[in-house]
């Protein structure tokens, strides 16, 4: 089947999202329903403490850095339980609904890593979870384990220097996982209900040291009823037909001097018809125009600037890109041109900003690894509104959904909102 992607872009998380039957409260994957770290629904607080405006707080079963997924009345969290990988669901009162263990886990090795860095994803019918151990599982919405496989046992050990960060992605039929490291790198697609592998395609390239390592999560796009997966890693952006995994187009040239250790940590984000790609350990940001066939390097990179983000993935809203650096600098850019609209800065500390920023209700939420969450107004300009100390380390990205903020720390899960 021939598939070209020169189009006005439509993003989606699942077929259910496109069908219009999404509950008012939903955050089905790591970067939300539009894969851009933004919600357009609800009003959200700017100020709270560990006591004030806390609707509830529940202890976690173990350290995890994954972001909760939300579908309607269920809040879905991955994390370790007695050394095993597990999925737990809570309701909006903070009460546990069910818990399912998957298999033996593997502890993280970075101080900001864990066995559960990858965030769960759901389409309202199934839940999918992926772990550092290589465990990949599909569950129904009541927590019944439908299938389980281990990608490392099937296809080879993880060779990333640090802890797996990529999250699963859903198409109409498949859950897809990207494995990008030194050695056998690939994309693999599994049938939702059964876990049967539909296809597996290699994605191997010659790169300098660590250049073939990627912690980024692919993004699904759709045009005229056809799905494609946009993947960032190994110094290339590639678009893949989700029917069989074949490459439709690729864009290269992200490391012409073959610099070592230019690992991909921050994921890309899509704004209109552009893929916004941070690279070079936060030194550069480029735009890749969606569409075309074959090698589009010479024709589909409208701008590149010498700024970017290394760990936090940019947020995007209303044609703008919001960059947060590891040290707290913030830039608002026009996506079409890369032009800087304004700049700002959150307070510096010995701690860094590892969680990705989110945008909600005209505010930008930025989390520092020591557990301080800063809130800034971005309606007309950058203005810091508050500094909220959660008193525990936080690596997971906050989730703004249904007028509430879900904050997952190393020890507790908080629900923040007006009482």
């Amino acid at each position: 089947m021939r598939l070209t992607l020169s189009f006005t872009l439509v993003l989606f998380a699942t077929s259910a999202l496109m069908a219009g039957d999404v509950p008012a409260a939903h955050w089905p994957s790591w970067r939300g329903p539009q894969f851009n770290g933004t919600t357009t629904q609800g009003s959200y607080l700017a100020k709270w403490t560990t006591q004030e405006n806390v609707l509830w707080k529940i202890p976690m079963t173990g350290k995890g850095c994954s972001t909760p997924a939300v579908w309607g009345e269920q809040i879905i969290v991955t994390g370790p339980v007695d050394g095993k990988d597990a999925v737990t669901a809570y309701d909006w009162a903070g009460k546990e609904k069910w818990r399912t263990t998957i298999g033996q886990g593997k502890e993280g090795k970075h101080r900001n890593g864990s066995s559960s860095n990858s965030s769960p994803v759901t389409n309202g019918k199934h839940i999918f979870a992926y772990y550092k151990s290589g465990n990949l599982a599909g569950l129904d919405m009541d927590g019944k384990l439908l299938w389980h496989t281990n990608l490392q046992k099937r296809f080879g050990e993880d060779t990333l220097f640090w802890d797996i960060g990529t999250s699963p992605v859903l198409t109409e039929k498949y859950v897809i996982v990207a494995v990008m490291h030194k050695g056998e790198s690939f994309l693999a697609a599994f049938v939702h209900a059964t876990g049967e592998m539909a296809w597996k395609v290699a994605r191997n390239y010659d790169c300098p040291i660590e250049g073939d390592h990627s912690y980024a999560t692919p993004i699904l796009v759709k045009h005229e009823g056809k799905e494609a997966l946009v993947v960032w890693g190994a110094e290339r952006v590639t678009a893949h037909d989700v029917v069989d995994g074949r490459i439709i187009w690729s864009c290269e040239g992200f490391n012409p001097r073959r610099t070592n250790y230019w690992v991909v940590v921050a994921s890309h984000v899509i704004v209109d018809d552009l893929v916004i790609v941070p690279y070079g350990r936060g030194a550069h940001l480029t735009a890749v125009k969606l569409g075309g066939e074959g090698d589009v390097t010479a024709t589909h990179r409208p701008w590149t600037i010498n700024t970017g983000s290394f760990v936090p993935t940019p947020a995007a809203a209303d044609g703008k890109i919001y960059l947060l650096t590891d040290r707290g600098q913030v830039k608002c850019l026009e996506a079409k041109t890369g032009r800087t609209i304004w700049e700002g800065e959150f307070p510096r500390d010995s701690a860094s900003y590892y969680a990705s920023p989110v945008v909600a209700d005209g505010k930008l939420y930025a989390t520092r690894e020591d557990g301080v969450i800063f809130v800034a107004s971005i309606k007309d300009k950058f203005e810091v509104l508050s500094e909220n100390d959660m008193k525990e380390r936080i690596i997971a990205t906050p989730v703004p959904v249904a007028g509430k903020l879900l904050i997952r720390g190393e020890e507790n899960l908080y629900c923040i909102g007006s009482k």
Side-chain angles (χ1 to χ4, degrees), residues 98-162:
W98 51 260
R99 178 182 298 169
T100 303
T101 54
I102 308 300
Q104 188 61 42
K106 182 187 293 185
E107 291 185 0
K109 48 188 172 181
H110 192 277
R111 72 177 188 280
N112 290 330
S114 70
S115 62
S116 306
N117 286 3
S118 304
S119 298
V121 61
T122 180
N123 59 6
K125 295 180 181 179
H126 300 102
I127 297 165
F128 303 94
Y130 180 51
Y131 302 86
K132 177 180 170 65
S133 62
N135 285 324
L136 174 67
L139 302 85
D140 69 15
M141 297 303 288
D142 295 319
K144 179 183 177 181
L145 183 64
L146 302 177
W147 57 268
H148 160 233
T149 188
N150 189 292
L151 301 189
Q152 292 173 27
K153 291 180 180 178
R154 289 177 71 168
F155 306 122
E157 289 299 314
D158 163 40
T159 63
L160 290 169
F161 288 179
W162 302 108

Side-chain angles (χ1 to χ4, degrees), residues 182-251:
K182 183 176 177 57
E184 178 63 15
S185 295
F186 58 88
L187 304 177
F190 303 86
V191 176
H192 286 178
T194 65
E196 177 186 0
M197 190 169 71
W199 51 259
K200 173 177 173 284
V201 295
R203 198 178 181 281
N204 297 315
Y205 298 100
D206 176 32
C207 298
I209 296 172
E210 208 182 8
D212 45 8
H213 292 204
S214 178
Y215 302 84
T217 296
I219 298 177
L220 193 66
V221 297
K222 187 172 185 178
H223 173 63
E224 295 179 354
K226 298 172 183 177
E227 299 173 316
L229 198 68
V230 179
V231 181
W232 164 228
E235 302 171 352
R236 287 157 180 82
V237 177
T238 52
H240 298 256
D241 186 341
V242 303
V243 172
D244 54 14
R246 72 174 180 86
I247 293 178
I248 304 164
W249 56 260
S250 64
C251 184

Side-chain angles (χ1 to χ4, degrees), residues 106-391:
K106 182 187 293 185
E107 291 185 0
K109 48 188 172 181
H110 192 277
R111 72 177 188 280
N112 290 330
S114 70
S115 62
S116 306
N117 286 3
S118 304
S119 298
V121 61
T122 180
N123 59 6
K125 295 180 181 179
H126 300 102
I127 297 165
F128 303 94
Y130 180 51
Y131 302 86
K132 177 180 170 65
S133 62
N135 285 324
L136 174 67
L139 302 85
D140 69 15
M141 297 303 288
D142 295 319
K144 179 183 177 181
L145 183 64
L146 302 177
W147 57 268
H148 160 233
T149 188
N150 189 292
L151 301 189
Q152 292 173 27
K153 291 180 180 178
R154 289 177 71 168
F155 306 122
E157 289 299 314
D158 163 40
T159 63
L160 290 169
F161 288 179
W162 302 108
D163 306 302
I164 289 173
T166 186
S167 298
V169 179
L170 294 186
T171 74
E172 284 191 33
K173 295 181 179 180
Y174 306 134
V175 55
I176 299 178
V177 176
V179 175
M180 291 180 278
H181 57 187
K182 183 176 177 57
E184 178 63 15
S185 295
F186 58 88
L187 304 177
F190 303 86
V191 176
H192 286 178
T194 65
E196 177 186 0
M197 190 169 71
W199 51 259
K200 173 177 173 284
V201 295
R203 198 178 181 281
N204 297 315
Y205 298 100
D206 176 32
C207 298
I209 296 172
E210 208 182 8
D212 45 8
H213 292 204
S214 178
Y215 302 84
T217 296
I219 298 177
L220 193 66
V221 297
K222 187 172 185 178
H223 173 63
E224 295 179 354
K226 298 172 183 177
E227 299 173 316
L229 198 68
V230 179
V231 181
W232 164 228
E235 302 171 352
R236 287 157 180 82
V237 177
T238 52
H240 298 256
D241 186 341
V242 303
V243 172
D244 54 14
R246 72 174 180 86
I247 293 178
I248 304 164
W249 56 260
S250 64
C251 184
E252 305 178 14
F254 292 93
N255 190 1
R257 297 183 180 180
R258 293 186 62 83
T259 303
N260 290 332
Y261 305 109
W262 272 22
V263 57
V264 172
V265 180
S267 295
H268 48 307
V269 65
I270 295 180
V271 186
D272 298 325
D273 63 346
L274 296 175
V275 188
I276 308 301
V277 184
Y279 70 101
R281 299 184 71 94
H284 308 288
L285 190 76
T286 197
V288 178
K289 187 173 177 61
L290 287 161
E293 293 185 10
D295 187 349
V296 300
T297 305
T299 57
H300 283 59
R301 288 183 63 172
W303 57 260
T304 298
I305 57 176
N306 295 326
T307 190
S309 58
F310 179 36
V311 177
T313 293
D318 300 322
K320 300 181 180 68
I321 307 159
Y322 296 94
L323 287 179
L324 172 68
T325 73
D326 298 22
R327 304 307 299 150
Q329 292 92 0
V330 182
K331 282 191 178 183
C332 175
L333 308 174
E334 182 182 63
K336 184 177 180 180
T337 64
R339 176 181 65 88
T340 298
I341 299 172
W342 51 254
E343 298 183 58
E345 187 171 8
F346 289 114
R348 288 199 177 201
D349 189 85
S350 58
S352 296
Y353 294 77
Y354 277 84
S356 298
V358 292
V359 172
D361 191 24
K363 307 179 187 73
L364 187 142
Y365 294 80
T367 306
R368 208 166 59 193
E369 62 179 321
D370 60 357
V372 180
I373 301 176
F374 296 92
V375 184
S377 172
I378 55 172
K379 290 181 178 179
D380 301 310
K381 60 181 181 178
F382 180 83
E383 179 185 1
V384 177
L385 300 176
S386 65
E387 180 176 324
N388 308 284
D389 190 351
M390 304 308 294
K391 309 296 184 184

